[in-house]
Amino acid sequence: MATPARVTDSLKRLCDLERGKGPLSAALTRFEKQHEINRLRSIIPAFILGHHDRKIQMGKASIVAVVNGICSACHLSLPSGHAARLQSSQDLEVCDNCGTFIFLEAGSIPSIFAAPAPARRKRMALAFR
C-alpha cells in the first residue's frame, strides 16, 4: 500500500502530466507520457482518482499547494483548525472552500503559526483633578 506522502507526490505529478504542465510533461514523448500516467494512476487509490478525474474534466487542478494558510486554487484563507491539521497530518486533505486536494508547500508556514503582530500599547489617560 502506498504511503500518504507517496500518494500526494504521485497525484501532483499526475495532475501536471495530464494538464501538460511542468518540466516532466515537456521532456517526455507522447508514449512515455502515457506510460507514466498509467504508472501513476496504478499507485493512487480509486476514490482519490475519481475526485481527480472530476476536477480535471472541469479544467481545474486536482491538487494545489497551501501557501501561508491560503489555498492556491480558490485563494481563500483556510480556517485555523484546518491549517493546523494540515501541518500535523500525513493524510491527503481537501480545501473546505473549493474541494481541491491540498498540501502544505515546503517551507510555508500556515498563518496561525506565523509570528503574531506585536501588540500596541494602550495610552493611559491621565485624569487631573
Side-chain angles (χ1 to χ4, degrees):
M1 179 161 180
T3 63
R6 184 170 180 203
V7 169
T8 301
D9 185 52
S10 297
L11 189 59
K12 286 190 279 187
R13 293 179 67 193
L14 178 64
C15 188
D16 286 346
L17 282 172
E18 288 183 344
R19 296 180 80 213
K21 295 185 177 182
L24 184 61
S25 180
L28 298 176
T29 66
R30 194 173 80 181
F31 177 74
E32 292 170 332
K33 187 175 172 181
Q34 188 59 45
H35 179 70
E36 182 66 11
I37 287 172
N38 292 338
R39 186 186 72 77
L40 291 170
R41 289 180 78 82
S42 69
I43 295 170
I44 301 169
F47 68 95
I48 294 175
L49 274 178
H51 188 79
H52 163 79
D53 290 339
R54 283 188 296 278
K55 284 290 196 180
I56 294 294
Q57 284 178 348
M58 291 188 288
K60 299 180 179 181
S62 62
I63 186 165
V64 296
V66 172
V67 181
N68 296 327
I70 298 174
C71 173
S72 296
C74 62
H75 305 289
L76 295 175
S77 180
L78 294 176
S80 59
H82 197 155
R85 191 171 63 239
L86 186 63
Q87 175 81 14
S88 63
S89 177
Q90 291 290 325
D91 293 334
L92 197 57
E93 297 284 334
V94 176
C95 177
D96 293 338
N97 301 309
C98 63
T100 304
F101 289 117
I102 54 176
F103 65 95
L104 191 60
E105 183 69 36
S108 175
I109 300 172
S111 60
I112 62 164
F113 297 115
R120 292 179 57 174
R121 295 178 64 182
K122 292 183 181 178
R123 291 186 180 184
M124 296 182 70
L126 299 174
F128 295 101
R129 291 189 180 190

